[in-house]
Amino acid sequence: LKCHDAQKSMGASKGFEDWMKTIRRMNTENEATIPEPAMRPIATYLTLIAGAGGATGGAGEAAMKDTAKDNDKAGAEKAKADPQKVVAGRDAFNSSCISCHDADKSTSKTKSKGEWLSTITRMASKQGANIPAGSYDAIAEYLTSLSGAGAAGVGGVGASKTDSSGGGLSVSGTFSPTWRGGNDNLQNGGFFPDVWLTGNWNANSVLSGQVTACVSCHTTADGMGDRFELVEAKLRLDISSLFDACTRSGYKIAVEGGRFIVPFGAFSSQSNPAAYRTVSRPLIYNMGQRVHDGELGDPVLPMPYSDEGGSLSINRSLDGLANFGMVGYVVNGLQSDRNGINFDQSRDYVASNNSPSFGSRVTLGIEGLNLGGSIITGQSSPTGGFENIPDRFYYRIYGYDVSYKIPSLLRFQFEYARRDSDRAAPDPDSFRVGDRVSGYYLEGEYYSQLFQRLSYIARYDAQDRRSDYAPDESSIGLGALSVSRFTYGVNFNFRKAGLLMVNHERWNLPGGLERTDVLGVRWVYSF
């Protein structure tokens, strides 16, 4: 509307392909900046609103056709898109979905409306998600109009069996093979798999379940192969769906139980390799992709951090202008040995003590801006404690985060986290001492307006360790250690063929260790 009066476009009658040609031609004019990912939604909107006049084959014909084959039924079924619902779905998608995902990840997928409903229901059940229940159908309508599947058309790669309300079974997955090299002191260097597979079950709008397993850089006990890891195995009860008053007032209340990714920090919702946009994770959450691993000690909290327990989440839409979310949870918690928190031991499915840990996360989102704060605290020493150490070990982890997105243009994310935990002094007169590990990362991504599938990314992250004693495996002999890293690179979006990331990392290390360069390549494809 900066150059044209709305009536000039609304009064024209064109097919999808003709609108695409017009938009591309307009984008060549001086001062025109229409991002490539926005062209299809604009063309779809104009075709629906202004009148199709006859879509002219190709993607347009697939996107706008009124009939499509159903996966489970022979024959054809009417599938006209509702223009008003498409627009409402687009707005709901931009306000609720792209806080965790890049828009292209969804808009390039091809699924039927029933499959989109299943996907949206699954995404809405994740901790920290705040997608109003009343918007599911509109978002599905919008994404279906982009994907070209029709309301009952052929779906994507994943296997699913859904009904019109998004119920049933669905399977999704992520393949993310990674290569990192250029240094002899690199943890898990070379190629390693990063494969996630999720099965989701929706009995109805009230009860659902989810199981997620992964194979990544974790190895078996003998170190001879990759370890199969259970990330999630949980049931979810959507309490707000039982009470119309909750839905009308904008509340979404749910209870979860089982094994789940603990919602600490903004990155916990981005733990799946399909959700983050660099080759490796930030330093404060990184375990398995570091340099001089034993010398520098552990991160603040490895991601994903999965644990067994239960949670209660409350989300509220504030007049459509903002979203407020809060989750409280109780889990087995982190476990320790005499040298402090043992993250390998903490991955076990059974806790070594009878004392649960408690945590909470609070978020506020306003038009692309998201703010968050997190805390978790508990006892880490086993039942009965340690020999010759009368004191119990405790830990507390807290942090805050802020992110901001302008779709198809710019993304910014900052996060700080700190862990205070106990350990034993490594001398004959063992007694309890404290470790403090803290750090932050600042990450930005710019989406090229000239090469529409290309984006440029940069991240600076740092971690600081303060203790009277060095890490257990360190030969440096320093309790106070600081490490920083600068990462930069490019991301190329192949749309339906996935995302390719190429990064260069420059590590600044303590204790006389030389600066280290690491090259990394990661390809991610999800279905």
Side-chain angles (χ1 to χ4, degrees):
L1 298 184
K2 292 181 180 179
C3 302
H4 297 292
D5 179 75
Q7 292 301 320
K8 180 174 181 179
S9 297
M10 297 304 180
S13 179
K14 297 182 182 182
F16 179 89
E17 293 294 347
D18 290 333
W19 276 121
M20 285 293 292
K21 291 177 182 178
T22 300
I23 294 168
R24 292 188 186 279
R25 177 167 54 82
M26 291 296 101
N27 203 36
T28 63
E29 300 291 336
N30 291 334
E31 299 184 2
T33 56
I34 306 174
E36 178 73 24
M39 292 182 180
R40 280 178 56 84
I42 293 173
T44 300
Y45 171 74
L46 290 173
T47 307
L48 292 170
I49 298 298
T56 58
E61 182 178 1
M64 308 314 305
K65 63 185 177 180
D66 290 333
T67 60
K69 291 183 179 179
D70 190 284
N71 286 335
D72 302 313
K73 299 178 181 179
E77 181 178 318
K78 290 290 183 180
K80 291 185 178 180
D82 182 338
Q84 292 182 338
K85 189 177 290 186
V86 168
V87 175
R90 178 202 61 195
D91 294 341
F93 174 81
N94 288 333
S95 64
S96 302
C97 300
I98 63 172
S99 59
C100 297
H101 294 293
D102 182 69
D104 250 8
K105 175 178 170 63
S106 297
T107 56
S108 63
K109 297 293 183 182
T110 300
K111 297 184 181 182
S112 69
K113 185 175 179 180
E115 289 169 329
W116 275 124
L117 279 168
S118 179
T119 300
I120 294 165
T121 303
R122 174 166 54 85
M123 291 295 106
S125 69
K126 290 185 175 296
Q127 294 282 10
N130 194 6
I131 306 175
S135 68
Y136 293 7
D137 191 67
I139 296 174
E141 186 94 356
Y142 165 66
L143 293 174
T144 305
S145 73
L146 300 183
S147 70
V154 177
V157 178
S160 65
K161 181 179 180 181
T162 60
D163 58 30
S164 61
S165 65
L169 298 172
S170 64
V171 177
S172 60
T174 299
F175 299 91
S176 184
T178 302
W179 178 88
R180 296 174 77 240
N183 188 273
D184 294 334
N185 299 303
L186 185 61
Q187 185 184 18
N188 292 312
F191 283 99
F192 63 85
D194 203 351
V195 180
W196 289 47
L197 188 64
T198 296
N200 194 76
W201 165 74
N202 293 301
N204 44 51
S205 62
V206 178
L207 185 63
S208 61
Q210 183 169 302
V211 176
T212 302
C214 75
V215 177
S216 58
C217 59
H218 296 154
T219 58
T220 58
D222 57 11
M224 299 302 293
D226 297 307
R227 167 174 164 165
F228 177 86
E229 193 89 7
L230 184 63
V231 181
E232 295 175 300
K234 62 182 183 180
L235 282 176
R236 175 185 176 88
L237 178 66
D238 191 333
I239 298 176
S240 53
S241 295
L242 297 173
F243 304 99
D244 291 338
C246 291
T247 303
R248 289 196 302 270
S249 60
Y251 280 99
K252 188 172 77 172
I253 306 171
V255 175
E256 286 188 359
R259 182 173 175 86
F260 53 86
I261 296 176
V262 175
F264 180 93
F267 199 79
S268 62
S269 63
Q270 302 165 1
S271 296
N272 188 300
Y276 61 94
R277 308 270 298 177
T278 50
V279 173
S280 62
R281 294 173 172 85
L283 278 178
I284 56 176
Y285 296 133
N286 191 327
M287 198 166 190
Q289 296 178 312
R290 297 176 295 166
V291 298
H292 293 283
D293 172 34
E295 308 286 358
L296 304 179
D298 290 329
V300 175
L301 182 66
M303 286 291 172
Y305 165 40
S306 298
D307 211 339
E308 300 77 32
S311 70
L312 171 66
S313 61
I314 302 174
N315 291 276
R316 172 79 190 281
S317 177
L318 306 176
D319 297 325
L321 302 176
N323 293 316
F324 171 79
M326 180 176 65
V327 56
Y329 54 88
V330 54
V331 292
N332 282 334
L334 299 176
Q335 312 298 305
S336 66
D337 54 28
R338 296 175 65 92
N339 298 311
I341 299 294
N342 185 320
F343 288 113
D344 289 330
Q345 180 180 320
S346 298
R347 297 207 313 262
D348 292 341
Y349 306 125
V350 179
S352 62
N353 63 52
N354 297 319
S355 177
S357 295
F358 300 88
S360 180
R361 174 161 173 78
V362 178
T363 58
L364 178 65
I366 308 173
E367 293 186 355
L369 176 66
N370 290 277
L371 308 173
S374 309
I375 188 170
I376 179 173
T377 184
Q379 177 186 325
S380 61
S381 53
T383 301
F386 299 105
E387 185 179 0
N388 300 327
I389 304 177
D391 298 318
R392 295 178 180 178
F393 287 3
Y394 294 92
Y395 70 94
R396 180 181 62 181
I397 311 176
Y398 59 93
Y400 54 87
D401 53 88
V402 56
S403 63
Y404 181 70
K405 282 188 177 183
I406 302 176
S408 302
L409 180 62
L410 185 67
R411 179 182 65 83
F412 163 87
Q413 187 161 317
F414 171 83
E415 187 161 3
Y416 170 86
R418 170 172 166 170
R419 169 169 56 86
D420 296 312
S421 55
D422 295 331
R423 61 169 296 182
D427 57 49
D429 299 323
S430 296
F431 55 93
R432 186 180 65 182
V433 296
D435 287 346
R436 189 199 78 189
V437 182
S438 62
Y440 65 91
Y441 67 91
L442 176 63
E443 181 175 300
E445 184 174 13
Y446 171 74
Y447 298 83
S448 172
Q449 303 303 295
L450 181 61
F451 304 102
Q452 300 295 338
R453 296 190 178 186
L454 191 69
S455 64
Y456 308 94
I457 193 161
R459 178 179 67 203
Y460 179 81
D461 50 5
Q463 182 168 290
D464 183 76
R465 183 181 188 275
R466 290 292 178 266
S467 176
D468 292 332
Y469 301 94
D472 182 47
E473 300 178 5
S474 177
S475 62
I476 299 176
L478 298 175
L481 300 170
S482 295
V483 58
S484 64
R485 177 182 61 175
F486 178 64
T487 302
Y488 64 93
V490 294
N491 292 344
F492 190 83
N493 193 335
F494 289 98
R495 300 290 174 86
K496 295 183 180 181
L499 179 70
L500 178 68
M501 289 158 271
V502 181
N503 287 177
H504 172 248
E505 304 172 11
R506 189 66 187 282
W507 293 68
N508 297 306
L509 304 171
L513 299 175
E514 294 184 356
R515 290 184 176 181
T516 297
D517 292 287
V518 177
L519 298 177
V521 180
R522 185 165 73 94
W523 173 70
V524 58
Y525 174 78
S526 60
F527 63 84

